[in-house]
Amino acid sequence: MKVYADNAATRKMRPAAIDTMLKTTEEYYGNPSSLHSMGQRAKEVLEDARQSIANLLGANANEIYFTSGGSEADNQAIYSAVHAPKNKGKKHIVSTAFEHHAVLHPLEKLEKEGYEITLLDVGEKGLVTAEQVAKAIRPDTCLVTVMYANNEIGTIQPIAEIGEVCREKGVLFHTDAVQAVGHLPIDLSKMKVDYLSLSAHKFGGPRGIGALYARRGAYVATFVEGGAQERNKRAGTENLPAIAAMAVALDEAVKNMKSANTKISAMRDRLIDGLKKIPHCALNGDQTKRLSGNVSFCFEGIEGESLLLWLDEAGICASSGSACTSGSLDPSHVLLAIGRVHDVAHGSLRLTLSEDNTDEEVDYMLEKIPEVVAYLRGISPVWRDLVNGKRQYIL
Ligand SMILES: *Cc1c(COP(=O)(O)O)cnc(C)c1O
């Protein structure tokens, strides 16, 4: 059996999005900036996609800027906020310890340039509160950036409440909603969010395309120079097939959200309940305030990398954290942020489901994962020390 359980890394494209991508490539090959009819037809497709995405998020079309994906949107949001004229002289930023690197790395760079960064503690459940944000805001705070849902442990943050706090204090608020858009209901006409990042490949659209939402009036810094596209904020001929496909994917994701989440969360809960029976393991992140498709565990006494390779051998595609940190030997900053010690953080497993997964696949994972964990513990010197009492169990 082949099981794809890495949907938070990227998701299989929806057939309707593939169809749209092909059709747009074939039929609307004009450049949207060209004045002739072919160009103007392409321009219409572009603006229809923008309007559709805006409608699905409760935004206005002129608040949507297309980008190359979530990482670029995160970068652009952060640089826009810190360079906003109203923030002149303000050099303090509030964020959390478990943001995606597309947020953390720009913040580290700004820190070197003299900004002060406060990273809020996310506690052992992987949640921040609006009160924490309120306490951290200072007169010189120019930006609060808190992710909507965490990509490794799936926990969902109180973005509406945090937005209220930021608006009340007059501070710009960005949320990396890459794991949330298409998975959770989002209405930007009600939420006090100034910037939001999204990425198509996390909800069944193509890779390499995303968007930045910037509330009307919120400053947007030009990120790529060289042309008037995206209202002068991002030069370059638009990736029209990908943009049109993203709009179709989001439409489908939003329309099917309720039924998909019901199906997916039932599979998630069955996986969590089953895997919890493995001795000396722990679920990462709050059990209820989490994405419908996220299962994240730490197993004591084993290496996550070996677990992944053995599961792959059994046909199960999983992840040990985020795809971005795999390949490095450092334990995940997210797991360290929720208080897992290094040894335990190394034994992590993330399974992320979509509506393409089935109950049979869940059964198969519940059969294989305990087997592989037991096998790896059997050959692990760390586990032997734990069993012999030479080392203390942590979980
Ligand atoms: C995937 C992801 C990103 C990066 O998006 P890309 O489109 O791959 O650049 C940013 N933030 C979060 C939370 C993500 O899950």
Side-chain angles (χ1 to χ4, degrees):
M1 186 178 262
K2 191 89 189 157
V3 183
Y4 185 74
D6 199 14
N7 288 280
T10 195
R11 189 194 180 287
K12 186 177 165 188
M13 263 181 85
R14 295 170 188 273
I18 296 178
D19 286 349
T20 302
M21 205 158 169
L22 292 175
K23 180 170 170 264
T24 311
T25 305
E26 273 171 14
E27 291 180 24
Y28 299 97
Y29 51 83
N31 186 322
S33 298
S34 296
L35 291 178
H36 51 65
S37 56
M38 284 302 293
Q40 290 313 296
R41 283 178 64 201
K43 174 94 178 153
E44 265 172 43
V45 173
L46 176 69
E47 295 313 323
D48 284 352
R50 196 187 310 278
Q51 186 65 59
S52 165
I53 290 168
N55 291 347
L56 292 164
L57 296 172
N60 297 309
N62 60 10
E63 295 173 316
I64 304 293
Y65 299 85
F66 295 123
T67 67
S68 68
S71 301
E72 185 184 317
D74 282 341
N75 277 251
Q76 191 171 14
I78 291 167
Y79 291 117
S80 296
V82 301
H83 293 129
K86 74 165 216 156
N87 277 332
K88 207 166 181 345
K90 295 188 177 179
K91 294 209 151 186
H92 176 239
I93 299 170
V94 177
S95 188
T96 77
F98 73 166
E99 295 297 310
H100 192 274
H101 284 134
V103 166
L104 287 179
H105 288 177
L107 295 186
E108 281 162 21
K109 200 166 157 199
L110 286 166
E111 194 169 27
K112 290 200 185 93
E113 292 169 13
Y115 283 78
E116 208 183 314
I117 317 291
T118 300
L119 294 183
L120 299 174
D121 187 5
V122 297
E124 55 182 48
K125 300 226 164 217
L127 298 168
V128 284
T129 63
E131 292 75 53
Q132 278 177 285
V133 173
K135 271 196 199 137
I137 290 176
R138 313 189 311 209
D140 63 339
T141 305
C142 59
L143 168 68
V144 171
T145 171
V146 175
M147 69 198 318
Y148 210 122
N150 184 273
N151 47 303
E152 289 187 37
I153 59 174
T155 51
I156 300 165
Q157 310 307 316
I159 295 306
E161 291 167 39
I162 295 171
E164 295 286 343
V165 165
C166 294
R167 188 60 55 83
E168 199 181 292
K169 303 215 178 230
V171 177
L172 289 172
F173 176 41
H174 164 246
T175 183
D176 172 345
V178 172
Q179 291 290 336
V181 170
H183 301 271
L184 297 171
I186 293 178
D187 184 353
L188 290 165
S189 71
K190 298 213 173 78
M191 297 175 85
K192 297 189 170 60
V193 168
D194 297 297
Y195 303 99
L196 175 143
S197 320
L198 64 90
S199 176
H201 74 104
K202 304 289 175 75
F203 53 78
R207 295 150 209 219
I209 192 72
L212 168 67
Y213 157 86
R215 179 175 296 283
R216 190 179 297 168
Y219 178 75
V220 179
T222 298
F223 212 58
V224 181
E225 314 264 358
Q229 292 90 352
E230 300 306 298
R231 297 183 298 294
N232 287 311
K233 302 304 183 190
R234 186 185 191 270
T237 304
E238 301 86 348
N239 187 350
L240 192 64
I243 290 168
M246 169 163 68
V248 166
L250 185 58
D251 185 59
E252 196 175 290
V254 169
K255 285 190 176 135
N256 298 332
M257 189 183 292
K258 235 180 148 173
S259 60
N261 279 339
T262 305
K263 179 186 172 192
I264 298 166
S265 59
M267 293 191 286
R268 172 201 64 190
D269 293 343
R270 219 151 63 74
L271 270 173
I272 291 178
D273 291 343
L275 295 178
K276 262 187 176 168
K277 294 185 188 134
I278 296 175
H280 303 286
C281 78
L283 178 71
N284 295 316
D286 190 84
Q287 182 152 358
T288 52
K289 288 181 185 136
R290 71 191 298 133
L291 291 169
S292 64
N294 180 288
V295 176
S296 169
F297 271 91
C298 282
F299 301 103
E300 198 159 7
I302 59 169
E303 288 288 338
E305 280 73 22
S306 324
L307 180 56
L308 287 193
L309 294 177
W310 280 90
L311 289 179
D312 191 36
E313 201 65 28
I316 301 169
C317 299
S319 154
S320 62
S322 70
C324 321
T325 43
S326 317
S328 95
L329 285 175
D330 293 336
S332 139
H333 70 288
V334 174
L335 298 177
L336 296 181
I338 61 166
R340 298 278 181 238
V341 297
H342 278 235
D343 280 357
V344 168
H346 272 303
S348 61
L349 173 70
R350 179 187 76 175
L351 304 165
T352 44
L353 309 172
S354 80
E355 63 262 55
D356 291 338
N357 291 111
T358 64
D359 282 327
E360 291 69 39
E361 292 176 354
V362 171
D363 291 338
Y364 182 70
M365 288 191 277
L366 286 173
E367 177 194 323
K368 283 291 163 196
I369 295 168
E371 259 175 44
V372 176
V373 170
Y375 168 73
L376 289 173
R377 282 175 170 173
I379 58 169
S380 154
V382 174
W383 184 253
R384 196 187 319 126
D385 286 353
L386 288 166
V387 173
N388 294 339
K390 289 194 191 137
R391 211 188 247 260
Q392 293 285 312
Y393 286 107
I394 296 163
L395 299 180

